[in-house]
Amino acid sequence: MTSVRPGRGGAPDAGATRARYRRIVRFAGRQLSIMWWFELFLPRIGLAKVAERGRSKRMQRFAQRFHLLAVDLGGLMIKVGQFMSSRLDVLPPEITKELEGLQDEVPPVAFPAIRELAEAELGLPLERAFATIDEVPVAAASLGQAHRARLAPFDAAETGMDGVIVKVQRPGIDMIVDVDLAALRRVGGWLSRVRIVSDRVDMPALLGEFSQTCLEEIDYLHEAASCERFAADFAGDDRVAVPEVAWERTTRRVLTLGDVTAIKVTDAEALRAAGIEPKEVAPVFAAVMFDQLFTNGFFHADPHPGNIFVTPAAEGAGGRPWVLTFIDFGMMGEVTATTRSGLRKLLIAAASRDGKGLVDAMRDVGVLLPSAETAELEKAMTQLFARFGGMGFSELRQVDPREFRDFAVQFGDVVRSLPFQLPENFLLVIRAMSLTSGVCSTLDPEFNLWDSVEPYAAQLLRDEGGNVVQDVAKQALEVAGIALRLPKRLDALVTRVQDGSVAVATPRLEKQVARLERTTRRLIGAVVFGALLIAGAVVRVDDVVLGTVLMVASVVPLLYAVFAGRRSP
């Protein structure tokens, strides 16, 4: 099987890119077929238990196969795998555990290829651009790799920097990204035809957002500008440090930043050796990420442990004994003012265990469509907070799994029936929060995110106190409007009662009856299908023609069992 590794030497040829495209599409097609058979088809014909029995092994096999594919192909496949490994909230551990090592498994590009690209970009030999450059990379990622260097004396005097990190793109990565995005768009087109996906996710918009993020990530001029914007957001904040950009040695495919290498944020042993308690780092890191998401509106969307350092303060320096140093600003997210307001409401509702407020905030943010009937969801959220609210990950792991199953059985239909969707920019918000939670839990296994959420939400409430009068006035106007319209509405209701035109509906009962009817029709179809199939197999031993006819005829009740009632309400 053909493999196209970006940047082993030069750019891949056209034949190799076509083979890469076909390999990604074939892999996705095979996995989607397996998912359709076990997760959609078998449950439809009453064989859900058969599908459930091997689900764990299927998930593990999928993760192992994708792991091999991602490591072999590199490019955006690594990014997709890294994203899946961070989704501990929605993906099973069989997948996230297998893919978590993708952060550190990218092999480096040979230095001669890196030298050739860097010299072409900078327009001069590396020996003139830098006083020294280490040929062994300090880090190798899916889209580029970093080398430690020292600026030439003139540049060092001009910038005030000496030690730098030179980040160089993998040769040919732009072509690889184009191929991978084309393959992902093809797969996204398939998923858009699956109703359970299309009802909840605007797949073209989601892929458009992912494409824009990836293309920005291979534009190092954009990354340099993002680095400076991030630094400006935290100017004067003694919790955060950001490397300086050496613009004289930066182009679209070469980025030179000050060398700020320090202690990896999750290296507990090194932190303790420096006199820093890991448990003290977790709440500060969470608060800094909350500031980015809920206050600044410009956030680091890839805060995995390799991109965050803890830098001890110099001896004799006053103030904070350490700072959080962020690097790698290729993947940044921006939250609009409207979405940021909704996220703030979401945070406040979660901190105050307000089920109704949480649902309202979900609607404001765009996770729920405005037409959604949310009474049952509000009830579910209220009960969820009453039972599990305030628990950290370590406490949740100790809860009897049967409690989660009971909750899922009680409210699963409610959640599945509601028109959820994934709004614009939420892919990066979810990634950032997932990685933040993972880093904090690594620093402190007993870390409870609620402990950081509550004081932050309380501060948000105080900050928004000035809007209380406006909110009260707005509610007063709404009540006045209702009062003015009430007499006319009552008069219309009395008229309808007199005319006998008032109808009483029980939507839940009607839905349950309709569901029962559909299930009965499908069950009958499945029984007839099984009977014809078995009869055909038995008869075919003695009469090939009749047996074959019966087996072919079994397709008709099978199709009926699968599609019966699909257009019914």
Side-chain angles (χ1 to χ4, degrees):
M1 192 169 286
T2 305
S3 166
V4 183
R5 171 87 60 195
R8 282 288 188 183
D13 58 30
T17 56
R18 283 196 297 271
R20 178 187 183 90
Y21 175 87
R22 288 195 296 268
R23 185 174 175 188
I24 295 171
V25 170
R26 278 201 302 267
F27 177 87
R30 175 182 170 81
Q31 299 308 316
L32 288 174
S33 299
I34 293 172
M35 182 187 74
W36 175 84
W37 177 261
F38 285 101
E39 304 301 330
L40 296 177
F41 179 75
L42 291 184
R44 260 188 176 277
I45 61 173
L47 298 177
K49 290 185 177 179
V50 174
E52 288 174 8
R53 275 201 294 268
R55 181 172 292 135
S56 179
K57 288 185 178 179
R58 283 198 307 277
M59 294 295 101
Q60 193 170 17
R61 280 197 298 271
F62 161 76
Q64 289 169 346
R65 288 167 181 163
F66 185 85
H67 193 146
L68 291 173
L69 179 80
V71 171
D72 193 30
L73 293 183
L76 293 190
M77 295 301 100
I78 295 286
K79 289 290 179 186
V80 173
Q82 289 173 348
F83 179 75
M84 288 194 290
S85 73
S86 70
R87 293 308 310 275
L88 302 174
D89 50 343
V90 295
L91 292 178
E94 292 88 351
I95 291 178
T96 58
K97 188 71 175 174
E98 177 65 31
L99 298 179
E100 65 184 5
L102 280 174
Q103 300 282 6
D104 305 313
E105 285 190 42
V106 185
V109 178
F111 189 73
I114 291 293
R115 172 187 288 275
E116 181 182 352
L117 188 150
E119 290 182 344
E121 283 290 306
L122 296 173
L124 71 167
L126 289 183
E127 288 75 15
R128 287 179 55 197
F130 302 98
T132 62
I133 185 166
D134 191 347
E135 295 188 4
V136 178
V138 292
S142 55
L143 305 181
Q145 65 189 50
H147 294 259
R148 185 168 277 115
R150 290 179 58 242
L151 288 177
F154 176 80
D155 290 331
E158 186 79 15
T159 62
M161 289 186 282
D162 181 25
V164 292
I165 296 294
V166 182
K167 185 175 174 182
V168 184
Q169 261 184 32
R170 286 177 173 256
I173 193 61
D174 47 356
M175 186 181 296
I176 293 295
V177 168
D178 288 342
V179 171
D180 290 359
L181 288 176
L184 290 175
R185 280 192 286 269
R186 178 78 177 272
V187 176
W190 295 342
L191 289 172
S192 295
R193 296 186 179 93
V194 179
R195 187 173 178 181
I196 194 172
V197 175
S198 62
D199 284 350
R200 287 161 173 77
V201 179
D202 185 346
M203 190 57 66
L206 189 65
L207 285 172
E209 182 184 345
F210 183 71
S211 300
Q212 181 182 351
T213 300
C214 294
L215 292 173
E216 288 176 352
E217 199 167 355
I218 59 173
D219 181 354
Y220 287 169
L221 290 174
H222 184 275
E223 179 174 347
S226 295
C227 177
E228 291 201 335
R229 179 178 173 184
F230 189 87
D233 282 346
F234 286 97
D237 190 326
D238 64 356
R239 301 172 301 171
V240 177
V242 181
E244 292 184 57
V245 180
W247 285 102
E248 297 80 1
R249 294 292 175 257
T250 295
T251 70
R252 195 180 71 84
R253 297 199 286 177
V254 176
L255 174 63
T256 305
L257 299 169
D259 187 355
V260 293
T261 307
I263 303 170
K264 188 176 179 179
V265 68
T266 52
D267 189 342
E269 186 176 340
L271 288 172
R272 291 193 181 95
I276 302 169
E277 182 56 46
K279 289 184 177 182
E280 295 175 1
V281 177
V284 176
F285 176 62
V288 168
M289 291 304 300
F290 286 153
D291 279 345
Q292 296 172 46
L293 284 162
F294 302 113
T295 302
N296 301 342
F298 184 66
F299 63 94
H300 198 302
D302 197 22
H304 66 74
N307 286 338
I308 316 292
F309 294 123
V310 177
T311 306
E315 288 188 22
R320 184 179 291 275
W322 51 267
V323 296
L324 291 167
T325 302
F326 286 76
I327 62 170
D328 194 351
F329 300 91
M331 187 183 294
M332 303 297 291
E334 195 159 359
V335 185
T336 64
T338 302
T339 303
R340 190 158 67 248
S341 175
L343 286 172
R344 288 159 72 101
K345 290 179 182 177
L346 202 68
L347 181 64
I348 292 169
S352 57
R353 319 290 197 270
D354 179 3
K356 184 179 185 306
L358 188 71
V359 173
D360 289 341
M362 289 168 65
R363 197 193 301 274
D364 289 347
V365 170
V367 174
L368 279 174
L369 294 179
S371 60
E373 179 54 52
T374 58
E376 288 297 320
L377 182 61
E378 289 171 9
K379 180 181 175 184
M381 292 297 101
T382 300
Q383 292 196 22
L384 180 70
F385 279 133
R387 176 62 188 92
F388 306 113
M391 289 188 177
F393 287 108
S394 60
E395 294 173 291
L396 286 171
R397 282 195 289 266
Q398 296 171 11
V399 174
D400 189 335
R402 286 174 295 186
E403 289 196 50
F404 293 117
R405 283 198 296 270
D406 292 344
F407 185 87
V409 169
Q410 185 177 1
F411 294 107
D413 287 342
V414 174
V415 174
R416 282 191 294 271
S417 66
L418 285 171
F420 286 101
Q421 62 179 358
L422 194 61
E424 188 179 359
N425 295 325
F426 248 56
L427 185 69
L428 294 181
V429 172
I430 291 169
R431 175 179 173 81
M433 291 311 298
S434 298
L435 289 171
T436 299
S437 178
V439 169
C440 290
S441 297
T442 302
L443 287 165
D444 179 7
E446 301 299 319
F447 179 77
N448 189 336
L449 198 61
W450 296 103
D451 293 339
S452 291
V453 167
E454 286 178 329
Y456 195 86
Q459 182 60 48
L460 287 178
L461 281 170
R462 287 193 292 271
D463 291 345
E464 299 201 349
N467 296 324
V468 171
V469 175
Q470 294 178 8
D471 291 342
V472 170
K474 183 179 177 182
Q475 291 178 17
L477 286 173
E478 290 176 354
V479 171
I482 293 171
L484 288 171
R485 292 191 299 271
L486 189 58
K488 290 184 179 180
R489 296 178 70 179
L490 285 174
D491 182 61
L493 178 60
V494 170
T495 301
R496 291 179 64 189
V497 170
Q498 290 174 345
D499 293 344
S501 59
V502 174
V504 179
T506 55
R508 182 182 294 181
L509 180 60
E510 290 171 2
K511 285 182 180 179
Q512 289 178 346
V513 170
R515 188 181 302 164
L516 181 61
E517 290 176 351
R518 290 196 299 271
T519 302
T520 302
R521 289 198 295 268
R522 287 199 296 269
L523 182 60
I524 292 171
V527 170
V528 175
F529 157 68
L532 287 175
L533 185 66
I534 294 171
V538 172
V539 171
R540 198 170 187 277
V541 177
D542 300 316
D543 190 332
V544 175
V545 176
L546 179 58
T548 302
V549 168
L550 288 172
M551 294 176 74
V552 171
S554 71
V555 173
V556 176
L558 172 63
L559 293 174
Y560 181 79
V562 173
F563 297 107
R566 172 168 284 192
R567 295 184 180 179
S568 301

